Amino acid sequence: MKTEPAWTGLPDGLGVFARLDGGRPLPELTAAVNAVCEEVEDLRARTVVVLRFPPAPAQPREWPGDVSIRDVNRWERAVRRLERLDAVNIAVAEGTCGGPVLDVLLAADFRIAGPDLTLMLPVNDGHFWPGMSLYRLVHHIGLARARRIVLWGTDIPVAEATDLGIVDQVSDDLTEAVHAAAVLRGRLSDRETRIRRRLLEEAASAEYDDALGAHLAACDRELRRLRAAEAPSAEGPATPEAGAAG
């Protein structure tokens, strides 16, 4: 992958890291996210994805710029692909960040921010960009608060982003925060994480009776997985008597 490594000094194999410059053209950002996804999908071992948005000297409020609807579709598909990885994904942002950062933060499993973070909402000619960040905002923070942001949106400082649940952790030491999060949450990176995400998403809109079947299927899968994991230790080593009895 050609994206620049995000941090140095982290244990080898801890995760897949990439820096994403939120001020870059949309096609370049799409290619970077897809490259991360491809690298993770090729790995067989558990891993963690860390996407870092470092502070940029100047980012335009307008998003996504002069692009085609095909470019927009590719970007949305790339973010959705990231969102559906088996791996836990961690987004890290600091400074003043523009439109694509909100998209990735809302799609991430865990979000870490520097104390100076300000989310600059994607606004064009006074109107909030109607991409899938709008959809995710409603699912994350509810219709009333999302309406206030979308219709009367101003920049979101880190304290408000934390209160809204857009940010999970604020840290002065981002390297240490990412290291700790990658170690702790890396244990959860497998297909089961993807299943839990899907159940959470569906819970926001599905009726109880409609959701019950999917949850029971997931519970059945989990029970079988746990039994399979316990089976070797439960059986223990074969004894001479057991062998003679056979």
Side-chain angles (χ1 to χ4, degrees):
M1 191 174 68
K2 297 181 180 179
T3 50
E4 178 187 356
W7 276 277
T8 59
L10 290 175
D12 292 339
L14 186 63
V16 175
F17 301 89
R19 293 180 188 267
L20 297 179
D21 181 351
R24 301 300 297 170
L26 183 62
E28 292 183 19
L29 285 169
T30 301
V33 172
N34 277 324
V36 170
C37 294
E38 288 169 9
E39 183 168 344
V40 173
E41 290 164 353
D42 288 341
L43 294 174
R44 295 186 179 275
R46 291 187 179 188
T47 191
V48 175
V49 179
V50 178
L51 298 178
R52 182 193 178 192
F53 287 91
Q59 290 193 16
R61 176 175 297 280
E62 293 76 15
W63 166 259
D66 185 12
V67 297
S68 69
I69 193 61
R70 179 177 297 179
D71 292 329
V72 174
N73 184 36
R74 287 172 176 166
W75 166 253
E76 297 291 5
R77 289 180 179 273
V79 175
R80 183 58 171 164
R81 183 181 181 185
L82 174 72
E83 193 174 36
R84 302 182 77 174
L85 289 174
D86 288 350
V88 170
N89 63 83
I90 301 170
V92 187
E94 56 184 314
T96 300
C97 298
V101 182
L102 181 62
D103 280 350
V104 173
L105 284 175
L106 291 173
D109 295 310
F110 193 70
R111 311 160 187 92
I112 303 173
D116 61 343
L117 174 69
T118 298
L119 291 175
M120 192 165 57
L121 297 178
V123 174
N124 302 284
D125 193 25
H127 295 287
F128 191 95
W129 171 246
M132 291 303 289
S133 60
L134 191 155
Y135 174 89
R136 290 188 177 93
L137 270 175
V138 173
H139 278 260
H140 274 73
I141 66 177
L143 177 58
R145 292 197 288 183
R147 181 191 292 116
R148 175 170 57 83
I149 289 174
V150 171
L151 297 183
W152 309 103
T154 57
D155 296 344
I156 303 177
V158 68
E160 183 179 357
T162 304
D163 180 62
L164 291 170
I166 297 173
V167 166
D168 297 305
Q169 179 182 355
V170 180
S171 177
D172 291 310
D173 189 340
L174 292 177
T175 300
E176 177 58 31
V178 168
H179 183 195
V183 169
L184 291 173
R185 287 161 180 79
R187 302 168 186 166
L188 304 176
S189 282
D190 57 23
R191 186 185 177 193
E192 299 304 317
T193 293
R194 176 161 53 88
I195 292 173
R196 302 310 187 270
R197 280 200 210 103
R198 191 187 70 221
L199 293 173
L200 286 167
E201 291 173 1
E202 293 173 352
S205 57
E207 293 293 334
Y208 178 89
D209 290 337
D210 294 334
L212 180 60
H215 282 262
L216 288 176
C219 290
D220 180 60
R221 173 184 168 82
E222 181 71 356
L223 290 171
R224 287 186 282 109
R225 184 181 72 84
L226 294 173
R227 290 192 194 103
E230 293 174 357
S233 59
E235 292 174 359
T239 62
E241 292 78 8

